[in-house]
Amino acid sequence: MIISRSPLRISLGGGGTDLPSYYRDHEGFLVAAAIDKYVYLTLHETFVEDIIIKYSQMERVPTADEIEHPIIREALRMLEIRETNLELTSMADIPAGTGLGSSGSFTTALLKTLHAYRKNLVHPEELAEQACHIELDLLKDPIGKQDQYIAAYGGLTCFTFCSNGKVLADPLKVSTETLFDLEDNLLLFFTGYSRSASSILKEQDDESKKKSDDMLQNLHFVKDLGFRSRDALEKGDLYEFGSLMNVHWDFKKQRSGSMSNGRIDEWYALALRNGAVGGKLIGAGGGGFLMFYAEDKVRLRRAVTAAGLKEVRFRFDFEGTKIVVAS
């Protein structure tokens, strides 16, 4: 029995600049944080000849090539796993399609599990790059590399996406006091909406490939916000960080008409009237989780939960994708 877990994530600045359509020409930068909400994968050998896979659906197939789940199929091919007496099960603390990077977390957890099955040691950089290769290169999803890298590394991490495809990872240099204050004053609320990140990001991807000046100027500015967010956090100026989140959200909404809706805008305005310095919708947009940095978290929590949103409390994860059990 092998059990792995991979953390979900929140973006702290610069999100959207990790797509190849942007960073290949302009280099991307963002700050992300892994949180203690996880995707779990279990793998064990069975006494039947078929491969059994359990996720939101169930598959039982004689060979890996017949698996419908594209990420699982390609991961088994990548590691050349041809055994068929296997059962693979996935579960998660948070539903997919809610902006916390679950697809990247799933892929890194899956690959970590399969490497453990093969008794391979794998560095976080290699794990993340393999996950990106499956999702971006093989499956052609119009997504970025943030989710796979922060899931693999964990922590609060700054990523530079180089034009040659290399990704540089550096820990965010924050004091212990700033770290605890940030953790205490960031609040996550579920909007009740789920959405496909790929469909929303495709619009950004297409505009970037067409060299749309509006899109590129937007992303240039958001990248600069990523640097400014890093600097504010490293200086311990959390009020400035919260204010930059507000600016980031305004520019993020300009990238797509699908980024927000009337209800989300109402909840956002409610939060700003009740103790939030700033906030944004996590992930590609269109639904999922609203995150706020709060000066008065008690007042904010009371107002937003009274409006019907469910809070998910979290702490940061500093372990990244890991094997929990191997027996």
Side-chain angles (χ1 to χ4, degrees):
M1 170 74 74
I2 299 169
I3 303 175
S4 70
R5 77 177 195 196
S6 189
L8 300 175
R9 63 97 184 102
I10 55 176
S11 300
L12 300 180
T17 67
D18 58 322
L19 272 71
S21 55
Y22 178 78
Y23 70 69
R24 282 176 182 155
D25 292 327
H26 307 285
E27 196 167 275
F29 176 84
L30 61 80
V31 185
I35 62 173
D36 64 347
K37 304 301 174 203
Y38 300 99
V39 174
Y40 301 89
L41 263 292
T42 67
L43 177 71
H44 72 277
E45 296 178 334
T46 68
F47 293 95
V48 299
E49 290 304 314
D50 290 339
I51 302 172
I52 300 170
I53 303 168
K54 299 174 182 177
Y55 48 105
S56 56
Q57 303 177 39
M58 178 174 171
E59 297 187 49
R60 181 169 177 168
V61 294
T63 67
D65 288 336
E66 297 174 70
I67 294 171
E68 291 185 10
H69 194 296
I71 294 175
I72 296 175
R73 183 182 64 245
E74 296 302 330
L76 290 169
R77 286 175 176 170
M78 175 183 284
L79 271 71
E80 298 182 349
I81 293 177
R82 299 184 177 87
E83 293 87 338
T84 57
N85 60 323
L86 299 174
E87 182 171 327
L88 184 70
T89 303
S90 73
M91 61 200 78
D93 291 327
I94 304 289
T98 52
L100 300 183
S102 59
S103 179
S105 298
F106 173 86
T107 309
T108 55
L110 172 62
L111 288 168
K112 187 76 170 180
T113 301
L114 298 179
H115 278 294
Y117 177 70
R118 282 287 188 241
K119 297 181 171 55
N120 298 334
L121 290 176
V122 57
H123 188 275
E125 180 181 18
E126 182 183 6
L127 184 67
E129 198 49 53
Q130 289 181 352
C132 289
H133 178 62
I134 288 175
E135 293 194 74
L136 279 72
D137 300 333
L138 299 180
L139 300 179
K140 308 296 183 184
D141 282 341
I143 59 174
K145 290 185 172 182
Q146 170 189 189
D147 299 349
Q148 299 84 356
Y149 272 84
I150 189 59
Y153 278 90
L156 282 72
T157 309
C158 304
F159 294 105
T160 301
F161 302 92
C162 303
S163 57
N164 63 2
K166 186 173 179 60
V167 180
L168 307 178
D170 296 293
L172 186 69
K173 299 176 181 65
V174 292
S175 69
T176 301
E177 182 180 1
T178 298
L179 178 67
F180 289 157
D181 286 345
L182 181 65
E183 200 171 52
D184 285 342
N185 295 330
L186 280 176
L187 281 69
L188 273 180
F189 299 95
F190 183 47
T191 64
Y193 299 111
S194 299
R195 81 293 176 270
S196 166
S198 296
S199 62
I200 294 175
L201 287 173
K202 188 176 187 304
E203 185 175 346
Q204 174 187 324
D205 194 49
D206 289 344
E207 290 298 304
S208 295
K209 287 176 179 176
K210 290 188 292 187
K211 313 297 184 187
S212 162
D213 187 63
D214 286 346
M215 182 61 72
L216 291 177
Q217 291 304 318
N218 184 291
L219 291 170
H220 293 339
F221 186 82
V222 166
K223 180 171 65 174
D224 184 62
L225 287 176
F227 290 123
R228 291 164 63 188
S229 296
R230 177 200 62 191
D231 294 345
L233 289 167
E234 292 188 343
K235 288 187 300 184
D237 190 345
L238 293 180
Y239 187 90
E240 171 68 8
F241 166 72
S243 300
L244 289 171
M245 286 176 65
N246 203 27
V247 178
H248 190 287
W249 176 232
D250 285 340
F251 272 76
K252 188 172 182 177
K253 287 191 293 183
Q254 294 173 22
R255 296 209 292 265
S256 170
S258 304
M259 196 66 71
S260 187
N261 60 46
R263 292 293 301 281
I264 291 171
D265 290 342
E266 288 175 11
W267 291 324
Y268 193 90
L270 174 69
L272 293 185
R273 294 195 303 269
N274 287 275
V277 176
K280 61 180 178 176
L281 206 61
I282 296 294
F289 282 86
L290 279 164
M291 180 175 75
F292 299 102
Y293 182 80
E295 274 200 310
D296 185 346
K297 58 179 180 282
V298 174
R299 180 181 167 203
L300 175 62
R301 181 174 286 129
R302 185 182 301 120
V304 177
T305 54
L309 276 70
K310 178 180 175 60
E311 183 183 3
V312 173
R313 301 198 184 195
F314 69 91
R315 294 293 179 187
F316 296 128
D317 168 277
F318 290 91
E319 296 182 309
T321 305
K322 62 177 286 187
I323 298 299
V324 180
V325 173
S327 61

